[in-house]
Amino acid sequence: AGLEDGALPALEFLAVGANRFGARGAGALCGVFHRGVAPTLQTLNVGATPIGDEGAVALAAALAMGKPSHGLTLYCCDVGDE
């Protein structure tokens, strides 16, 4: 089950801020991007979601692969400064 590759071909903006899915959820979300479910994703908002450093690492890996391609909203996410 789950979303197949290219399942959301027109998705450009995804706002999942103010949730409680944490680092594990951030990793799962990034896994979806790696599978190509949202090939046109440009902007992701995860603000006010406590993803911590582990979730930030997962997001960094997704950014390195070009997803999202234009913007990431990341504030109040319990991420350290290193």
Side-chain angles (χ1 to χ4, degrees):
L3 295 172
E4 300 295 325
D5 291 359
L8 301 170
L11 182 67
E12 294 180 356
F13 177 80
L14 179 61
V16 292
N19 279 291
R20 310 274 322 148
F21 54 73
R24 188 172 176 191
L29 184 61
C30 292
V32 168
F33 300 148
H34 288 298
R35 289 198 324 266
V37 169
T40 59
L41 183 67
Q42 295 178 14
T43 306
L44 174 64
N45 178 343
V46 293
T49 300
I51 63 169
D53 293 339
E54 185 180 337
V57 168
L59 285 172
L63 286 170
M65 297 197 61
K67 295 298 174 205
S69 61
H70 289 87
L72 173 65
T73 302
L74 183 69
Y75 62 90
C76 297
C77 292
D78 297 333
V79 175
D81 18 341
E82 293 192 27

